[in-house]
Structures are given as C-alpha cells and as structure tokens.
Amino acid sequence: MAFELPPLPYARDALAPHISAETIDFHYGKHHQTYVTNLNNLVPGTEFEGLSLEEIVKKSSGGIFNNAAQVWNHTFYWNSLSPKGGGEPTGRLADAITKSFGSFAAFKDEFTKVALGTFGSGWAWLVERPDGSLGIVSTSNAATPLTGPDRPLLTCDVWEHAYYVDYRNARAKYVEAFWNLVNWEFAASQMR
Amino acid sequence: MIRPFLTLLVLALVLAAPRLDAGDAPFALAPLPYPPDALEPVIDAKTMEIHHGRHHKAYVDNLNAQAAQIPELAGLSLLDLQRQMSRFPTAVRNNGGGHWNHDFFWNLMTRPGTGGEPSAALAAAIERDFGGLDAMKQAFQQAGLARFGSGWAWLIVRPDGRLAITSTPNQDNPLMDLVPEAERGTPILGNDVWEHAYYLAYQNRRGDYLAAWWQVVDWGKVSAHYDRAIAELAPSAAAAAAK
C-alpha cells in the first residue's frame, strides 16, 4: 500500500503574508511530495513493506529513514501552523510552558534561539519529556524526536527551502513570522 | 595652504580607517572576482549577491567574533585552520569552514563557456581514475545529489595522489582533520549544494543546478589546484600518481 501526501490542512495561500503560496507550492507540492514519492520507491521489497509510517521512521536508517522521517516531519509541521494561529497557548499547555520555562516570553526566546542556532538543515521542536516537563530540541536534516522518548508538540522547519523564497538568508525574520502562525490547539492536543 | 593640508588629512584618515578595522579582525571577505551577473544564466546575480554578500559575509563576521574569544585563531592562516579544526569549537568549524569553502568556490568559477578544459595532466588523471571527464562529472553530480541536507560535493587529490569524489555535510571540507580519513584530501573542485546556492533559480531541482554548473567551471583554476596538490605530496606518492 503506497504512502500518500496528506492534504494540506488549509488553502495554499492561507498562511500569507507570513508564508507565501509560492513557498507552499514548492515546500508542500515539491519537497514534501518528493519525500513521499522516494519513500514509495524505496520501501517495496524491504523489511519495511507493510509497516506504518511511524514504524518505518522508528526502525529504519539511511535513505528510507531520511524520506520517511521527512514525510512525517512535514505533515507535523503543516499541522503546527494555522491561518488562525499565533498568540499564546491557554490551559494545560500554557501551564506546562510556564512551569518549564518560567514564562511564555522566556520559552519563545529559547525556541527562537534553538531555531536560529540549528546549523545547516534541520528542525526546532517543542517536546514533552517522559517526566511531563517540556523541552526544546534541535534536530539535523531528517532527524526527529519520534525516534526517542520525547513527544513532539510543535515544530519549526529551518531547512532553507522553508523560508528562502520569502525571506532569503533572513532566517530570523521567518522564525519571527512563524509565531503568528503557531497552532497552539494542535500542540496542546499532542500532550499526554 | 591650509585647505590642501586638510584634504590630505581627511584622505589619510579615510584610508587609515579600513586598515584599523582589518587589524582588529583577522579574517576578511574578499570581493567577488567578477561582477555578480558574470555567471548568468547558470547562477543569477541576485543569488550571487545574497550568497556572497550575506551568507559568506556572515561566516566571516562570525569567525571574527570567535577570533575575538580565541586569540590563537588570528595567528593561523585560513588553510592551516582547516587542517587543525578538531582543536576548535563547533562555531569555528562551521564559520571557518564556511569562509574557506566559499573563497574556494568563488575562485573556481568564470563566465559561462570561457572555462576551457582540464590540463593534459589533469585530464590524464581523470581518465585514469574515472574513465573519462563525463564519468567524473556524473559521479560528482551524484555525490551532490546524494548529500542529504546541506553540504558540498568535492573532487579531491587523495594522499596517494589519486583523484576521488567525496561530499561533506554543512560547511565541513576534505581538508579538515575531523573528516573521516578515507574522505580526506586536497580539494581541486567543489560545488555548494546548500539550498541557498541554487534555490532562487532552481528551487527543489538540485540536479538541474549540478548539471548546469559545469558551464561556469574554470578548468584553468582546477588544473592549477591539481598541480599544486600533486606538488605538495610526498615524493613517493607524487611518483606513483604520475604513473
């Protein structure tokens, strides 16, 4: 059974002006699609045939891992964004953020720092640790918290293709814009 | 009498100012060796301006910021720094590598169609180690395509004098002592496969960028790098490489 590109949870132009329709066309329509296509080409005839996407991410390495994890990471990223996003979280997630980082502002600063400090291609994540505390992690290339004990709640893609059309080298401006799009309801729904 | 003196004084101050800056900062961003539109249509002027003026500049600025913390860096040439990179923190590796790699890259390229051909010696080595120029290009493009994420593809002279194709992640390069021994050597050709190198014109089509890039390779420069790399080898390796 082939993997499919999940539908984008909003219109291509819904995230403008923070993320343009042109960026979505390439990022979702080309990059995300290519990872799906590559995965479907790589998996048949291997021990991973018939496994779910998450199982493949957790058990594979090399090219299969890169493509499977990028399929998963991008779907998670689209869900982390919303045209109705931004602002601050409420309820349980807000409490957990205050408890782990001191304040929402302190969390935002630290997440931004991690996103800007990820050298090369990668991702910044808000994760829930096994002990219930929250943390911020950076992963390189396709690496994802899914393979470890942390539970991802929110991600920001800092591969250059995520922002180059709109922001060129100015990753800081992209991350600043990202805060206007964060889907806090989705992040909260990922908590244990 | 006063006015010419003042003019000279102002001129002297203006001329001295950049030197004072350069004295404070051991590493400098050299101007591009050609106008930013020289490589069009293979690499567009906008890409060149941002790539050199912002990305490369950021590596130089960040490396100088590291040098302010680590005085030893000011006493090292950029080339020597690469060879001792394992002694320094990650920020030096990233920015010192980024500075060397981009310097090397700008100076390998020339206007499309003016890059000539490999020298006889380099052509013979390519024939010997790859079976021909086209086969070498294919292997090089494959290395660039297969580099997942950000990095570089390289044609290197190995310590035994043979040519090899490698790739490195991020801003690492084959000179660095932290690169696995089997992938180490002296680069004679390198292409940047960070998305910032090609995204404005080629977007997700890295393969098209890698294929088009040969039009701007300056084979005179590559051949000179090859001669120098062979000359620096131990005599026994150089003799073996000549066979």
Side-chain angles (χ1 to χ4, degrees):
Chain A
M1 196 183 63
F3 293 102
E4 284 180 12
L5 181 67
L8 200 64
Y10 30 75
R12 298 166 36 251
D13 58 359
L15 305 182
H18 308 297
I19 296 177
S20 67
E22 191 188 355
T23 291
I24 298 287
D25 281 344
F26 286 109
H27 199 177
Y28 172 75
K30 303 286 184 187
H31 291 278
H32 197 175
Q33 176 65 63
T34 301
Y35 294 127
V36 172
T37 304
N38 289 346
L39 185 63
N40 284 327
N41 288 334
L42 289 168
V43 162
T46 70
E47 61 189 292
F48 304 106
E49 200 163 358
L51 297 188
S52 72
L53 182 64
E54 296 203 2
E55 285 173 311
I56 295 176
V57 172
K58 286 174 182 170
K59 291 174 183 170
S60 63
S61 60
I64 292 184
F65 171 80
N66 284 341
N67 286 286
Q70 284 295 77
V71 172
W72 193 91
N73 291 345
H74 279 90
T75 302
F76 196 85
Y77 172 66
W78 304 128
N79 286 323
S80 292
L81 307 176
S82 165
K84 295 176 194 141
E88 295 189 18
T90 54
R92 207 153 70 89
L93 178 55
D95 295 344
I97 284 175
T98 306
K99 197 173 166 198
S100 294
F101 303 100
S103 68
F104 178 74
F107 153 73
K108 200 173 153 183
D109 280 355
E110 198 178 326
F111 188 97
T112 299
K113 227 174 272 170
V114 169
L116 298 186
T118 300
F119 193 74
S121 303
W123 302 78
W125 304 83
L126 171 65
V127 299
E128 187 180 26
R129 311 271 192 211
D131 67 3
S133 67
L134 302 188
I136 297 166
V137 296
S138 158
T139 60
S140 279
N141 296 334
T144 172
L146 196 59
T147 54
D150 296 342
R151 214 178 147 84
L153 305 182
L154 175 74
T155 194
C156 181
D157 187 347
V158 293
W159 281 59
E160 288 176 322
H161 65 230
Y163 58 88
Y164 218 77
V165 167
D166 297 331
Y167 300 95
R168 311 292 197 251
N169 62 308
R171 189 190 285 185
K173 286 189 181 150
Y174 157 71
V175 176
E176 201 181 312
F178 163 82
W179 295 111
N180 296 312
L181 298 171
V182 172
N183 186 342
W184 292 114
E185 278 175 37
F186 172 76
S189 75
Q190 300 302 299
M191 295 175 80
R192 277 187 194 84
Chain B
M1 206 58 199
I2 295 273
R3 197 161 289 170
F5 173 76
L6 281 178
T7 309
L8 278 176
L9 184 67
V10 167
L11 194 66
L13 288 172
V14 166
L15 286 175
R19 269 187 228 145
L20 285 177
D21 284 349
D24 290 337
F27 300 98
L29 178 69
L32 278 175
Y34 33 69
D37 63 356
L39 308 183
E40 290 204 357
V42 177
I43 304 179
D44 61 281
K46 190 90 205 150
T47 294
M48 291 299 288
E49 282 164 3
I50 297 173
H51 198 175
H52 175 263
R54 301 200 204 157
H55 290 278
H56 189 175
K57 181 174 188 300
Y59 296 127
V60 174
D61 290 347
N62 291 337
L63 181 60
N64 280 325
Q66 287 293 310
Q69 312 288 321
I70 309 170
E72 189 193 349
L73 284 174
L76 283 175
S77 74
L78 188 56
L79 181 64
D80 286 340
L81 171 61
Q82 310 303 310
R83 292 174 169 149
Q84 305 171 28
M85 199 56 93
S86 65
R87 299 200 289 119
F88 296 99
T90 307
V92 176
R93 172 182 181 172
N94 291 342
N95 294 295
H99 184 22
W100 190 91
N101 293 346
H102 285 89
D103 252 358
F104 183 72
F105 182 60
W106 308 132
N107 285 293
L108 280 176
M109 298 187 288
T110 186
R111 291 180 187 277
T114 66
E117 292 173 5
S119 66
L122 177 57
I126 288 173
E127 184 70 35
R128 178 195 65 205
D129 294 333
F130 300 100
L133 187 58
D134 284 345
M136 188 283 286
K137 287 181 177 176
Q138 285 304 316
F140 186 94
Q141 286 173 225
Q142 191 46 45
L145 268 178
R147 169 51 53 193
F148 192 75
S150 302
W152 292 76
W154 305 98
L155 175 63
I156 63 172
V157 174
R158 294 272 298 143
D160 66 0
R162 299 269 159 176
L163 294 173
I165 282 165
T166 64
S167 87
T168 51
N170 296 331
Q171 295 297 354
D172 288 355
N173 64 55
L175 294 166
M176 292 182 182
D177 60 347
L178 41 76
V179 164
E181 192 120 26
E183 292 161 26
R184 237 178 278 165
T186 303
I188 65 169
L189 180 70
N191 195 0
D192 188 345
V193 295
W194 281 59
E195 288 174 323
H196 66 231
Y198 59 84
Y199 211 80
L200 295 185
Y202 298 88
Q203 294 87 35
N204 61 309
R205 300 183 308 280
R206 186 190 287 185
D208 291 354
Y209 162 71
L210 283 161
W213 182 70
W214 298 110
Q215 296 172 53
V216 295
V217 170
D218 185 338
W219 286 104
K221 297 275 181 60
V222 181
S223 301
H225 283 309
Y226 176 72
D227 291 345
R228 207 171 307 126
I230 292 295
E232 284 170 4
L233 291 176
S236 59
K243 281 182 190 152

